[in-house]
Amino acid sequence: MQLRPSSVNRIPEDVQRLLKLQEGDDDTLEVASDEIRLSYFDLNTQEVIDLINLPETSGLTSLPAWSQDGSRLAITRLTFDGITEIFRGNTGLANTLVRDTLGQLPPAENPLLQGNVVDVFDLSDRSNVRVSQLRAGEGNGDTFGSVSWSTDNQLLMTKMQRPARLQGRTYPIYAYPESSYVRFYNNALQPVGEFVAPEIAAPNFMNSQFVSPGEVIFDGISGLSGRIFYYNVGTGEFREISNRSGYYTQVFASRLSRQLVFLYTSFQNPPELYRDSWEGGALTALTYNNVELQQMSQTQVNEVAFTLQDGAVRRGYLVQPAGAPFPPQNAPMVIWQEGGPGLFMTSTWATNVESPYVLLPNFGISVLVVPLPGREGWGPEFYNGLAQPGAFGSIDIDEMAQIVRQMHALGWTSPDRTGVTGCSYGGYFTSQSIVRHPDLYAAANTQCSLLDTLVEWQTGFTWFMSYLIGTSPPLSVDTFLGNSPLYGAENVRTPTLIFHGDFDFLPVSIAETFHERIAATGTTVRMLKFQGEGHGLGLPENQITAAQEQITWFRRYLAT
């Protein structure tokens, strides 16, 4: 959840926050410092019409949705007294978000449900603006997300989010919903239908927009790829438009030409703008800004699947140097995990050290990308998998260990040719992997890593740790110690390269202590502390330095 102040100059104060929100991202929460006054501002006449005053404990949680004729406006908001608790460092068992994520708040008392409202403004008569409301607390227990009007102004579509329901926790968890669907309302704000499908169930990374009076376009994460889907409200027709693996974003639709324009990228395609018809099959590039970059990159991509001991199947991608055999033959290979957790893992372009699945294969080192429990796009059970009792700190780490041992048995790679890397939660995954499985990996590069869940619960994103671990330090300090790589550093036998910024919100001092504890075992360890960098490396010169270090490290220790 991204927080930022609202400051727009030379626009009436009445409408500053609304205009600022319109420029933002879907995951932005705009928090009032005093109160929020929503107003209508006519750019032609300079007229300002007050719509509603919201209390200081309110935040706007969706972009404004205007009807085609400008007569109606809908917006989703959240109001509750503890809204400032979303800031990092607001800790304690009394924190509303902590109680929610531990499953201690009955829905009737949970402000994340009861304070979730869609305000709908009727502007057809500007001298008498009418406001109606949809309140989540009066519904089926699901909350409202983004909103969209049909192009004939007759239907309002709301994204609905189902709260997580986790084993061992008494009540639903609203801070981290487990799935989504859409609901339709008529002009009287009476529900007239819903559309539920597993392909559009990603709780955070799924968008929906009306593109005609009765047609909807969805875009978001489903399985290994970003995808685009078409839905007809009247006939029930539902189909996929996208026809290649990769990531589609910034999807815009033209109802007159029945065309889509979007940004598309994949492991082998740097970002470019494309267009396609609503029927699909007419993909056409609109920009060619990165053609030379695409030609320079020499990789190949194959889908892979592994069956675990419990029968579960994990699917992913193997990115190799171009021309490498598939299946691979004793290839130097690095296991990579995304940050988050919860963030999706799909085929997309990146060349930074935090996501080196294009970088390393161009220097002779393959990268395995396999989403494990806790990721979007695979359904609620998979998404909740990391937060089930006893799962955090082990389930995904141990599943990957099974996969790596399968690859060793198949001859795809070998114990002296397998590495692991990632940033943020990916750094945690890397660090915890070499603690739990000290003889499995030949080299590790942990970056901007969460290393101490006890400190994070005490001083950081307390509610997130509560959601993931399902308890608190006063009740189970051993659990926090056991799933913190810092306190298992004496087990590390893997040569380890550490990257960390000195302004990272995850304290660099903890990374330095991790380095010292590994060094005390006699294991090879090297740490680069980047001055002025935060969570990940933003400066190009630091990316270049880190890339050289990363490539050199894996070449040295993966028997290349």
Side-chain angles (χ1 to χ4, degrees):
M1 196 174 289
Q2 180 185 356
L3 296 170
R4 52 177 172 72
S6 177
S7 57
V8 180
N9 296 325
R10 297 181 299 279
I11 296 178
E13 293 181 1
D14 298 329
V15 295
Q16 285 183 5
R17 288 185 177 87
L18 180 58
L19 293 179
K20 189 65 175 179
L21 180 66
Q22 255 183 313
E23 299 170 355
D25 298 324
D26 289 345
D27 61 352
T28 298
L29 176 64
E30 184 84 2
V31 178
S33 57
D34 183 13
E35 70 172 9
I36 296 179
R37 179 183 299 170
L38 292 182
S39 301
Y40 174 96
F41 178 52
D42 191 316
L43 293 173
N44 294 317
T45 66
Q46 306 297 301
E47 180 184 20
V48 175
I49 300 174
D50 292 339
L51 301 178
I52 191 173
N53 288 346
L54 303 178
E56 62 182 354
T57 55
S58 298
L60 307 182
T61 58
S62 79
L63 294 174
W66 289 94
S67 63
Q68 190 80 8
D69 62 1
S71 66
R72 308 196 95 190
L73 168 67
I75 195 163
T76 310
R77 63 176 165 91
L78 177 65
T79 300
F80 79 100
D81 289 341
I83 199 165
T84 57
E85 294 171 3
I86 61 178
F87 289 98
R88 181 178 174 84
N90 284 272
T91 63
L93 288 172
N95 183 303
T96 304
L97 294 178
V98 172
R99 295 178 62 206
D100 170 74
T101 53
L102 291 176
Q104 297 175 351
L105 279 176
E109 301 174 13
N110 194 322
L112 299 182
L113 172 65
Q114 301 301 326
N116 179 248
V117 177
V118 176
D119 292 307
V120 180
F121 303 95
D122 185 343
L123 304 169
S124 54
D125 180 0
R126 297 186 188 180
S127 64
N128 183 28
V129 175
R130 292 173 293 173
V131 58
S132 303
Q133 294 174 332
L134 297 170
R135 296 184 174 274
E138 298 173 355
N140 65 347
D142 299 339
T143 54
F144 296 105
S146 59
V147 285
S148 174
W149 290 98
S150 62
T151 57
D152 62 356
N153 316 313
Q154 297 303 304
L155 290 177
L156 176 67
M157 177 173 59
T158 61
K159 179 178 181 179
M160 307 303 301
Q161 295 182 308
R162 293 193 178 103
R165 290 171 171 82
L166 300 177
Q167 182 181 344
R169 306 191 206 187
T170 304
Y171 299 110
I173 296 168
Y174 287 89
Y176 297 99
E178 66 180 22
S179 64
S180 67
Y181 61 99
V182 293
R183 182 181 295 163
F184 302 97
Y185 292 87
N186 60 20
N187 268 330
L189 296 187
Q190 298 298 315
V192 293
E194 294 179 349
F195 179 60
V196 182
E199 294 89 345
I200 65 163
N204 300 301
F205 296 99
M206 182 58 66
N207 306 304
S208 56
Q209 57 179 309
F210 264 114
V211 294
S212 81
E215 295 171 296
V216 177
I217 297 294
F218 297 94
D219 68 276
I221 301 302
S222 179
L224 286 175
S225 288
R227 303 181 191 276
I228 304 176
F229 299 97
Y230 167 94
Y231 174 63
N232 190 299
V233 179
T235 67
E237 178 188 3
F238 179 67
R239 55 180 168 78
E240 184 175 356
I241 296 175
S242 50
N243 59 5
R244 60 169 69 180
S245 62
Y247 181 53
Y248 301 77
T249 186
Q250 300 179 33
V251 178
F252 296 91
S254 167
R255 64 187 177 94
L256 298 179
S257 65
R258 299 183 69 84
Q259 295 278 316
L260 300 172
V261 175
F262 47 83
L263 191 73
Y264 169 78
T265 179
S266 72
F267 290 138
Q268 295 179 300
N269 294 273
E272 299 284 5
L273 285 175
Y274 290 80
R275 74 178 177 198
D276 202 347
S277 70
W278 293 6
E279 286 68 37
L283 189 67
T284 304
L286 297 177
T287 62
Y288 301 89
N289 297 325
N290 293 310
V291 171
E292 292 184 11
L293 183 61
Q294 181 180 14
Q295 294 171 345
M296 289 174 59
S297 181
Q298 298 296 310
T299 66
Q300 67 182 50
V301 181
N302 294 97
E303 290 194 21
V304 293
F306 303 92
T307 302
L308 304 179
Q309 294 172 358
D310 63 1
V313 177
R314 300 293 180 244
R315 304 182 184 279
Y317 295 104
L318 180 63
V319 188
Q320 295 183 273
F326 182 81
Q329 300 173 6
N330 197 25
M333 187 179 301
V334 169
I335 310 305
W336 175 80
Q337 281 289 294
E338 177 63 272
L343 298 179
F344 59 86
M345 292 173 60
T346 187
S347 177
T348 186
W349 181 269
T351 56
N352 53 320
V353 294
E354 293 88 355
S355 303
Y357 38 71
V358 177
L359 174 67
L360 289 178
N362 273 286
F363 288 87
I365 301 169
S366 300
V367 175
L368 181 72
V369 180
V370 177
L372 297 171
R375 302 295 175 181
E376 286 219 16
W378 300 90
E381 182 179 353
F382 193 86
Y383 184 70
N384 289 334
L386 198 61
Q388 296 294 355
F392 184 78
S394 60
I395 185 172
D396 51 344
I397 280 87
D398 295 348
E399 284 192 3
M400 183 57 76
Q402 287 189 51
I403 291 170
V404 169
R405 292 188 176 101
Q406 285 185 36
M407 292 194 298
H408 290 170
L410 291 168
W412 287 19
T413 184
S414 54
D416 64 344
R417 310 201 89 187
T418 310
V420 59
T421 191
C423 171
S424 193
Y425 181 77
Y428 172 86
F429 177 93
T430 299
S431 303
Q432 186 75 340
S433 291
I434 60 177
V435 167
R436 288 183 65 87
H437 303 282
D439 300 321
L440 188 60
Y441 298 98
N445 173 210
T446 180
Q447 310 172 49
C448 42
S449 178
L450 169 66
L451 296 166
D452 190 336
T453 61
L454 184 62
V455 168
E456 183 64 12
W457 193 95
Q458 292 171 323
T459 65
F461 293 120
T462 305
W463 61 92
F464 197 25
M465 288 292 95
S466 299
Y467 162 72
L468 291 170
I469 300 176
T471 187
S472 61
L475 295 178
S476 186
V477 67
D478 289 343
T479 298
F480 283 79
L481 296 175
N483 57 30
S484 296
L486 178 65
Y487 303 110
E490 67 276 5
N491 296 330
V492 175
R493 298 295 180 269
T494 305
T496 302
L497 175 65
I498 302 171
F499 296 159
H500 215 92
D502 64 347
F503 279 103
D504 197 321
F505 62 75
L506 296 172
V508 68
S509 59
I510 297 178
E512 291 171 328
T513 302
F514 189 56
H515 170 269
E516 293 168 4
R517 291 188 174 184
I518 294 175
T521 69
T523 300
T524 302
V525 61
R526 173 174 168 80
M527 179 173 177
L528 274 69
K529 181 168 69 172
F530 291 90
Q531 300 293 324
E533 291 281 18
H535 196 55
L537 304 180
L539 297 175
E541 56 267 32
N542 287 339
Q543 277 288 334
I544 293 171
T545 298
Q548 292 171 336
E549 290 279 345
Q550 185 184 70
I551 294 165
T552 300
W553 191 263
F554 284 130
R555 279 181 168 177
R556 178 180 302 159
Y557 291 103
L558 298 188
T560 59

